[in-house]
Amino acid sequence: MLKTLPCGKKQSTQAHSGSKNQDWKVLLDRYLKEKGLRATRPREHVAEVAMSRETHFDIQSLIKEVRAIHPEISPATVYRSVNTLCEAGILTETLQSQGGVTLYESALEDHHDHIICVDCGIIFEFHDATVEKAQQKAIESQGFEEIRHRHVVYARCTQPKRI
Amino acid sequence: MLKTLPCGKKQSTQAHSGSKNQDWKVLLDRYLKEKGLRATRPREHVAEVAMSRETHFDIQSLIKEVRAIHPEISPATVYRSVNTLCEAGILTETLQSQGGVTLYESALEDHHDHIICVDCGIIFEFHDATVEKAQQKAIESQGFEEIRHRHVVYARCTQPKRI
DNA sequence: ATGAATGCAAAGGTTTTGCACCCCC
DNA sequence: GGGGGTGCAAAACCTTTGCATTCAT
């Protein structure tokens, strides 16, 4: 499935085989049971909205979307739920927006790095095995063992584009 | 020049050839003139303290150091000066600390990426030509032209360490 | 019933802004 | 002298926390 970006590029929306898209419910349930936590309505609603996002989002926008449907859910609950979802391993912090706000995205997507166009602001995802492998080697030669990484390239579209 | 880190590693403090260490004064002056801005005492003091830092720092720590010597300089001025220094191209935002606070460092150092040890929290700098080259190629093949990048690897020390 | 989770409001912390005064050019 | 810069304090934000109440188990 392809989506046309403002810069004229096409980007996979990562609809994948469709299996992962429901996995989070299983994983979340398992995590909650393990920890003796509860599957409450507000918590599940935040999870539903968060996991339906296709790309990076910040908590403020999540709060807006959640409260548009369930105005009784407080911002504090959204913050608390997002933390729980991160601990459950189905969400991860990714980038920091220019304003320094933390952005999140599903932890169940395949790993990818990011290219941000400084002209049109679009966030493009890429994965390159050579880069990953070279990085792995470099890290190990320094005596470290990689856990995860965040690789963001600020760039400019070089192809004809329509801003 | 080597510095021993808490994890037992040694890291160059990048004292270099010594030429760059004064460059910022020239660059700042040039920038201020260009933009019709003024070389005021508080602004120069913030620059002096900021450029004397050897690694990443956050604004709060800068405020503390600046006010230790010049208590009359207000936090607002430090914020404003740091922004100016970034626009002048002698400082850059680098990472975001775990708390989401923006960290800065001199923009005149050689480019390097970062490894953050999730155990001891140390920020280790590395540069690997293979990684850089592979990235360059990957970005170009996607139709982008790199401007700058931020590559942070969260890892664990694998060598014996003293925390 | 029991303790986790929520909503609300208040607190905490960082960064920005308005404005009168100051001082570099 | 004029306009940018500063200090101060207030405001604006984002995020966390305390507490009484609600609700899942």
Side-chain angles (χ1 to χ4, degrees):
Chain A
M1 188 185 185
L2 289 178
K3 192 170 49 175
T4 300
L5 304 180
C7 54
K9 297 187 173 306
K10 307 243 182 213
Q11 175 175 44
S12 162
T13 52
Q14 304 199 331
H16 291 308
S17 46
S19 69
K20 277 185 184 169
N21 296 325
Q22 295 300 325
D23 277 0
W24 67 266
K25 296 193 178 181
V26 179
L27 292 171
L28 181 54
D29 271 4
R30 185 182 308 163
Y31 176 80
L32 294 179
K33 283 216 175 68
E34 252 179 46
K35 295 285 180 181
L37 305 178
R38 292 169 188 177
T40 64
R41 213 55 78 59
R43 182 172 281 165
E44 292 192 322
H45 246 97
V46 172
E48 196 77 55
V49 174
M51 297 311 284
S52 74
R53 291 288 178 101
E54 303 235 323
T55 44
H56 323 274
F57 60 87
D58 62 22
I59 297 202
Q60 291 302 316
S61 88
L62 205 61
I63 289 174
K64 281 199 192 75
E65 185 172 343
V66 168
R67 303 198 76 182
I69 317 173
H70 302 270
E72 76 280 6
I73 295 182
S74 85
T77 295
V78 178
Y79 275 98
R80 289 188 276 230
S81 296
V82 166
N83 283 341
T84 305
L85 296 178
C86 285
E87 283 155 19
I90 66 176
L91 268 191
T92 46
E93 298 187 8
T94 51
L95 318 154
Q96 236 53 41
S97 76
Q98 44 286 56
V101 180
T102 304
L103 301 181
Y104 296 84
E105 80 182 325
S106 164
L108 307 180
E109 300 291 343
D110 291 330
H111 166 74
H112 54 256
D113 295 324
H114 298 98
I115 307 175
I116 301 181
C117 179
V118 296
D119 286 334
C120 53
I122 195 72
I123 299 179
F124 189 84
E125 299 171 355
F126 80 102
H127 176 87
D128 186 273
T130 310
V131 174
E132 302 283 323
K133 215 168 287 175
Q135 173 205 273
Q136 178 83 7
K137 205 182 256 181
I139 298 306
E140 281 173 4
S141 79
Q142 297 285 348
F144 288 94
E145 186 184 296
E146 180 187 348
I147 295 174
R148 66 185 188 284
H149 67 266
R150 192 177 297 171
H151 190 164
V152 186
V153 181
Y154 297 87
R156 221 184 291 274
C157 312
T158 53
Q159 293 171 355
K161 62 213 167 216
R162 32 187 164 109
I163 301 178
Chain B
M1 189 181 187
L2 288 176
K3 189 171 51 176
T4 300
L5 304 180
C7 55
K9 298 188 173 303
K10 308 239 182 216
Q11 176 175 42
S12 162
T13 51
Q14 306 197 330
H16 292 305
S17 48
S19 69
K20 278 185 183 168
N21 295 325
Q22 295 300 325
D23 277 1
W24 67 265
K25 296 193 178 182
V26 179
L27 292 170
L28 180 54
D29 270 3
R30 185 182 308 163
Y31 175 80
L32 295 179
K33 283 216 175 70
E34 253 180 47
K35 295 285 181 184
L37 304 178
R38 292 168 190 179
T40 64
R41 211 59 77 58
R43 184 172 280 164
E44 293 193 321
H45 247 96
V46 172
E48 196 79 54
V49 174
M51 298 309 285
S52 75
R53 292 290 177 98
E54 302 236 324
T55 44
H56 322 275
F57 60 87
D58 62 23
I59 297 202
Q60 290 302 318
S61 88
L62 205 61
I63 289 174
K64 282 198 191 73
E65 185 171 344
V66 168
R67 303 198 75 182
I69 317 171
H70 302 270
E72 75 280 5
I73 295 183
S74 85
T77 295
V78 178
Y79 275 99
R80 290 187 276 228
S81 296
V82 166
N83 284 340
T84 304
L85 296 178
C86 285
E87 284 155 20
I90 66 176
L91 269 191
T92 46
E93 298 187 7
T94 51
L95 318 154
Q96 234 55 39
S97 76
Q98 45 284 56
V101 181
T102 304
L103 301 182
Y104 296 84
E105 80 181 326
S106 164
L108 305 180
E109 300 292 342
D110 289 331
H111 166 74
H112 55 256
D113 295 325
H114 299 99
I115 308 175
I116 301 181
C117 178
V118 297
D119 286 333
C120 52
I122 194 72
I123 299 178
F124 188 84
E125 299 171 355
F126 80 103
H127 176 87
D128 186 273
T130 310
V131 174
E132 302 283 323
K133 215 169 287 175
Q135 174 205 272
Q136 178 83 8
K137 206 183 254 178
I139 298 307
E140 281 174 5
S141 79
Q142 296 284 349
F144 288 93
E145 185 185 298
E146 182 188 347
I147 295 173
R148 66 184 189 283
H149 68 268
R150 192 176 297 173
H151 190 166
V152 186
V153 181
Y154 297 87
R156 221 182 290 274
C157 311
T158 53
Q159 294 170 353
K161 61 209 168 220
R162 35 187 162 109
I163 301 178

